[in-house]
């Protein structure tokens, strides 16, 4: 199992770079950032600094989308970083939640997302692609030398099918064992139906991790409060699914949708941050199911179970009051045991 660190690109950028360097020293192989142009600083500028100041870390977006940049711009940006630093990037992509909604736009359609994934990958790897009906190629990218895996974030049945059909990797933003098993199966079934090797689709689970000194009620309560924001972030996507499929739909498990009944809107100014006041509706059991909290042995047990379900990569959302200690704890106790 590989491990990644996920950060928002809050200023100062030097702190983001420093945490990524710390992660690499502790055995993390990947560094990920949010991509929402209004809420945070431009990730690709910071990616260039991360790549310059690390040796082997692979850097990517968690996640970009097809709507805030034209596809040839996204492809050119990734291809430039790869040319400079040796194919050390991944394009994590989704329909667009905060990036689109904060700017007054709706998330992209799955059809648009599916087309964009193919175009961005082809252009970044030196092949010709159609962009709005025009044949385009990046002439400075030698075909066969560039490499850009495209990993797609998804929850709903149609999105999971698209992952299996077209993506190189699947980003699942929660660490619930039941839902992981259900969604990984959906992706693999779709890949097989599309004539692809299901095992060739990398499975990445991304969720907050908070390592405590013990499993006392006080320690766990504090960890839950630091990670409760995540249930609110996931709830945005779940609300979309409920709006599309209805409650208690056979298409989407109740284990994913039931907890948002008390949700009453969402303010993106607190997006992805501990203490988010719009996430009080998230119950403790959802925090426990969706996140990893507790002493190192609790993390090891859950990560081992996720690995047995086919998870190849665990990416830590490190937005809480124990960023450095969590990175260090994973480096000392968890990554060596699972690699």
């Amino acid at each position: 199992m590989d491990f990644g660190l996920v950060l928002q690109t809050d200023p100062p950028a030097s702190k983001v770079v420093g945490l990524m360097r710390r992660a690499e020293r502790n055995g993390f192989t990947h560094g990920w950032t949010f991509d929402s142009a209004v809420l945070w600083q431009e990730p690709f500028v910071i990616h260039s600094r991360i790549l310059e100041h690390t040796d082997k870390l692979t850097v990517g977006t968690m996640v970009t989308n097809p709507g805030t940049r034209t596809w040839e711009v996204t492809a050119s940006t990734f291809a430039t970083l790869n040319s400079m630093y040796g194919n050390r990037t991944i394009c994590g992509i989704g329909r667009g939640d905060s990036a689109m909604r904060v700017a007054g736009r709706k998330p992209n359609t799955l059809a648009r997302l599916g087309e964009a994934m193919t175009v961005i990958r082809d252009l970044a790897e030196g092949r010709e692609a159609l962009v709005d009906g025009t044949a385009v190629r990046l002439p400075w990218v030698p075909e066969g030398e560039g490499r850009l895996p495209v990993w797609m974030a998804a929850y709903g049945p149609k999105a999971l099918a698209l992952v299996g059909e077209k993506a190189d990797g699947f980003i699942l933003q929660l660490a619930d064992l039941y839902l992981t098993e259900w969604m990984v199966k959906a992706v693999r079934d779709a890949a097989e139906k599309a004539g692809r090797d299901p095992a060739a689709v990398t499975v990445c689970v991304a969720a907050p991790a908070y390592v405590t000194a013990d499993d006392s009620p006080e320690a766990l309560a504090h960890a839950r409060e630091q990670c409760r924001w995540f249930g609110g972030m996931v709830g945005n996507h779940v609300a979309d699914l409920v709006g599309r499929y209805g409650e208690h739909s056979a298409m989407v498990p109740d284990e994913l949708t039931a907890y948002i009944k008390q949700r009453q809107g969402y303010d993106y100014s607190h997006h992805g941050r501990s203490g988010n006041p719009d996430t009080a509706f998230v119950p403790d059991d959802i925090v426990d199911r969706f996140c990893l909290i507790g002493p190192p042995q609790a993390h090891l047990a859950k990560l081992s179970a996720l690995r047995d379900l086919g998870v190849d990569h665990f990416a830590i959302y490190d937005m809480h009051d124990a960023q450095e200690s969590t990175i260090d704890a994973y480096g000392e106790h968890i990554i060596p045991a699972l690699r």
Side-chain angles (χ1 to χ4, degrees), residues 8 39 46 78 125 141 151 172 204 274 278 291 337:
Q8 296 167 337
L39 297 178
I46 298 171
F78 276 111
E125 294 184 349
V141 181
W151 294 9
L172 172 56
C204 168
S274 60
D278 294 326
C291 306

Side-chain angles (χ1 to χ4, degrees), residues 76-111:
S76 179
T77 303
F78 276 111
T80 300
L81 292 173
N82 282 337
S83 177
M84 292 173 68
Y85 299 106
N87 290 335
R88 289 167 56 197
T89 68
I90 294 175
C91 177
I93 194 167
R95 292 176 61 227
D97 176 31
S98 63
M100 297 297 286
R101 288 182 164 126
V102 167
R105 307 183 185 102
K106 293 182 180 180
N108 298 270
T109 65
L110 288 175

Side-chain angles (χ1 to χ4, degrees), residues 116-277:
M117 287 196 295
T118 300
V119 169
I120 291 168
R121 183 196 295 113
D122 282 347
L123 291 177
E125 294 184 349
R127 295 183 294 276
E128 184 178 276
L130 287 178
V131 180
D132 295 327
T134 299
V136 175
R137 183 178 177 274
L138 303 181
W140 49 271
V141 181
E143 185 171 357
E145 292 186 15
R147 181 179 60 83
L148 182 65
V150 178
W151 294 9
M152 178 183 155
Y155 293 106
K158 293 181 180 179
L160 294 169
L162 182 60
V163 173
E165 292 163 5
K166 292 194 172 185
D168 302 301
F170 168 38
I171 296 173
L172 172 56
Q173 295 174 91
L174 53 79
D176 177 80
L177 297 179
Y178 173 82
L179 292 171
T180 297
E181 182 175 20
W182 184 82
M183 293 184 188
V184 169
K185 182 179 185 303
V187 167
R188 287 179 169 164
D189 287 349
E192 186 171 15
K193 187 176 180 180
R196 304 178 66 199
D197 177 6
V201 181
T202 301
V203 177
C204 168
V205 161
Y210 197 102
V211 182
T212 61
D214 54 46
D215 57 0
S216 66
E218 295 79 13
L220 295 178
H222 179 76
R224 289 189 185 105
E225 288 310 310
Q226 288 294 306
C227 297
R228 198 175 304 277
W229 63 266
F230 184 66
M233 187 180 83
V234 174
N236 296 329
H237 303 284
V238 174
D240 285 345
L241 293 175
V242 171
R244 187 173 300 118
Y245 297 104
E247 294 185 10
H248 309 298
S249 168
M251 301 290 287
V252 184
D254 284 348
E255 287 83 354
L256 177 61
T257 60
Y259 83 97
I260 69 162
K261 288 182 179 180
Q262 304 302 316
R263 180 179 180 270
Q264 297 180 355
Y266 191 84
D267 181 352
Y268 281 92
S269 65
H270 307 289
H271 189 58
R273 301 185 188 280
S274 60
N276 186 334

Side-chain angles (χ1 to χ4, degrees), residues 306-322:
L306 288 167
R307 184 178 58 182
D308 290 344
L309 294 175
V311 175
D312 306 296
H313 180 111
F314 178 62
I316 296 175
Y317 280 110
D318 202 26
M319 281 77 80
H320 48 57
D321 66 359

Side-chain angles (χ1 to χ4, degrees), residues 33-55:
T33 68
F34 282 35
D35 178 18
S36 191
V38 175
L39 297 178
W40 301 289
Q41 293 184 326
E42 173 57 34
F44 291 114
V45 176
I46 298 171
H47 286 182
S48 67
R49 296 291 289 173
I50 296 170
L51 289 163
E52 181 180 1
H53 289 282
T54 56
D55 296 321

